Structure formats: structure tokens, C-alpha cells
Amino acid sequence: MRMILAEDSTLLREGLVRLLVEEGHEVVAAVGDAVSLMKEVEEQAPDMVVVDIRMPPTHTDDGLRAALEIRKRWPQISLLVLSQHVERNYAAQLLASNAERVGYLLKDRVAQVEEFLDALERIHAGGAAIDPEVVRQLVIRTTHGDPLARLTPRERSVLETLAQGHTNTAIAQKLHISLSSVEKNLNTIFDKLELSHTAGYSRRILAVLRYLES
């Protein structure tokens, strides 16, 4: 992949460049602020952008706002957003319009090289990758009106793994259940979350969004 990295920590940025180049990717630019990121994306037209949420110039949500602008102007570009901590609202904003070719990972996940690289591949292939810790924190949040409260523990496990961006086959492998069991559980989840077959929408994406919004 042709990639652009946007991370204000020089140490992490250079480490990511080295890792990605060693894996055969082409890093066409590595920048430390959101303004430079937008300039490079416009000039380089990369396949993927990896961007930190909190970056200069304001060190608030500059990276996220840049990611949302990239998604709006160049929807064909895959996006992986990195965050120091779980920020649920940011994850929801990122997925709100389209949960394809997008990821949201905690920076600690980068140290788990195989998981990080697997997430990049899933995103580039048209899928999504949501950090397991983000998903876990959403799972344990239950209120009286929470639609997820209707799910069984097994269905919650399936939805949690789905929300991380895994395919049915990968879900079956991770949970040590059959593929038919995964399919059955997903259909039950869609029914319980009242996600009907609607033209132009993926029930898998809608389920993840419902999950993030609950």
C-alpha cells in the first residue's frame, strides 16, 4: 500500500515508518500535524492514511477532523485512526457515515505488531477494525434501555468480535464455534436489534453502529 502517516510523536512516527517499510509498504509521507497531513493527502493520493486523533496545531481533535475531511473528500482512501485512550464519541463519529475501509485502534495495539498489521489489511480490503478494548468498554455499559441487554452472552461475544471488523470465518475461529453457529447468532442479533433488510445498507455495519451508540 501507499501510505501517509500523521503522528506528532517523532519516535512513534519513525518506528511506524520502519515497520511498514519492512512489511513492503510504501510510506509516501510522514508528518507531525494535521495541516501537513491534508496537504500531503491532496498531493500524494495515498491508498491509506494512519493518523493520530490529537495532533497540532491545537492538540485536541485535529487528527480526527482531518480524517473526517479526508473521508468526505476522498472516500476511496482507507483510514486508520489512532488514539491514546478510548474515546467512544470519536469512534462513533468516524463510523457514522460509512464503516468500510476504516479503523479505530488504541496506540498500545501498535506494539502488538501482528494485530496491527492484520487491522491494516482488513481495512485496506474494505472492512473495519475497531480496537477490542473500545468494544469491551462498550459491552460492559448496560442501562435499562440498552438494546444490547436483550442479547445472550454468546450473542454479545459474536457482536463484540464483529465490531472489531472480523469476518464470519474469523469470528468462528476466535470463539471456537462453527460457522453456521456464527451465522445463526448474527441473524438473531440483527432481529433483536431490529435491523431489517434495507436496500443500500449493510446490517453488519448497522449493528456495529448501534453497538457504538448504545
Side-chain angles (χ1 to χ4, degrees):
M1 287 178 277
R2 299 180 69 255
M3 306 179 69
I4 290 178
L5 299 180
E7 164 61 53
D8 62 328
S9 166
T10 303
L11 184 61
L12 178 56
R13 186 171 68 243
E14 294 305 317
L16 283 172
V17 170
R18 180 176 299 180
L19 170 63
L20 293 170
V21 170
E22 287 177 352
E23 290 296 319
H25 301 299
E26 180 185 359
V27 180
V28 296
V31 300
D33 64 87
V35 175
S36 297
L37 168 62
M38 295 305 297
K39 179 177 180 293
E40 292 292 346
V41 170
E42 187 165 11
E43 293 180 356
Q44 301 289 347
D47 301 314
M48 175 175 284
V49 169
V50 179
V51 55
D52 184 15
I53 281 181
R54 298 184 182 277
M55 298 180 64
T58 71
H59 293 281
T60 56
D61 62 348
D62 298 84
L64 175 69
R65 287 189 283 110
L68 294 174
E69 181 65 18
I70 291 168
R71 170 123 296 198
K72 179 180 177 181
R73 294 174 59 184
W74 301 285
Q76 76 280 7
I77 296 178
S78 301
L79 284 170
L80 174 56
V81 172
L82 302 177
S83 178
Q84 189 68 44
H85 308 288
V86 175
E87 300 183 80
R88 174 174 164 269
N89 290 337
Y90 288 161
Q93 285 184 60
L94 188 65
L95 296 171
S97 60
N98 189 344
E100 296 178 351
R101 295 189 305 281
V102 66
Y104 180 98
L105 295 182
L106 297 182
K107 287 187 177 180
D108 288 347
R109 197 69 51 191
V110 175
Q112 301 176 34
V113 175
E114 291 303 321
E115 289 190 34
F116 174 65
L117 295 175
D118 178 64
L120 289 177
E121 293 300 330
R122 291 207 310 273
I123 295 166
H124 185 57
I130 310 301
D131 196 283
E133 181 60 21
V134 175
V135 175
R136 188 191 70 80
Q137 291 200 23
L138 295 174
V139 171
I140 63 177
R141 295 177 65 255
T142 52
T143 62
H144 181 70
D146 185 0
L148 302 182
R150 288 175 276 175
L151 303 183
T152 66
R154 170 60 73 193
E155 290 161 359
R156 279 175 171 266
S157 296
V158 170
L159 181 55
E160 175 182 353
T161 315
L162 170 69
Q164 293 170 26
H166 294 292
T167 63
N168 287 8
T169 301
I171 293 172
Q173 293 172 345
K174 284 181 173 292
L175 299 182
H176 305 291
I177 58 178
S178 67
L179 184 58
S180 62
S181 179
V182 172
E183 294 168 349
K184 180 180 178 181
N185 276 281
L186 284 176
N187 284 329
T188 302
I189 290 167
F190 296 151
D191 289 340
K192 288 185 177 180
L193 296 182
E194 300 178 354
L195 300 175
S196 59
H197 288 285
T198 304
Y201 292 90
S202 164
R203 290 200 296 175
R204 297 173 71 90
I205 294 174
L206 292 174
V208 173
L209 292 175
R210 182 71 58 84
Y211 195 22
L212 288 168
E213 293 167 355
S214 65

